[in-house]
Amino acid sequence: GGPCDARVARRDARRECRPLERDILDDARRSVCQPYVDRMRPALLRQLGEAAADARIEELATACAAAEAKKDARLETCVAERLVESLAACAARECAGGAAACAARVCGISTS
């Protein structure tokens, strides 16, 4: 709750980092997961047939990419940095009025 809701800020930070997340997933899929599922393809074709094997390969590649992406610290770093920026900006906005009032009191000036 409150004007600087950390949950809202975290959600916004994750949204801002989505392009990086997509890049990480795509890279993992291409470099790690595609070779993995390509090796499994012949066995899956024999076991499942073409349509079912293709669907299973897609599931495996997606799960593999997600697991590989979790190992990459860049996404959490991005989210953490955006979260701090967002909360700091909110705090500065929320405290601006108080700072002006304090300055007026301490310095004996009026603010409008």
Side-chain angles (χ1 to χ4, degrees), residues 3-6 8-17 74-94:
C4 299
D5 190 324
V8 172
R10 182 173 294 282
R11 185 186 65 225
D12 291 348
R14 288 198 179 283
R15 186 176 57 244
E16 288 181 41
C17 294
R74 291 178 298 168
L75 181 60
E76 281 308 310
T77 299
C78 176
V79 171
E81 288 172 353
R82 296 307 167 281
L83 178 62
V84 168
E85 290 168 6
S86 174
L87 291 175
C90 180
R93 282 191 310 274
E94 290 299 312

Side-chain angles (χ1 to χ4, degrees), residues 32-88:
V32 176
C33 304
Q34 199 57 53
Y36 163 71
V37 295
D38 286 347
R39 286 190 305 273
M40 296 180 65
R41 185 174 176 72
L44 289 171
L45 283 169
R46 281 192 304 275
Q47 292 172 1
L48 305 173
E50 190 168 352
D54 286 344
R56 182 67 181 131
I57 286 168
E58 182 59 30
E59 289 172 8
L60 290 170
T62 299
C64 170
E68 287 296 313
K70 283 184 180 174
K71 298 175 191 175
D72 192 312
R74 291 178 298 168
L75 181 60
E76 281 308 310
T77 299
C78 176
V79 171
E81 288 172 353
R82 296 307 167 281
L83 178 62
V84 168
E85 290 168 6
S86 174
L87 291 175

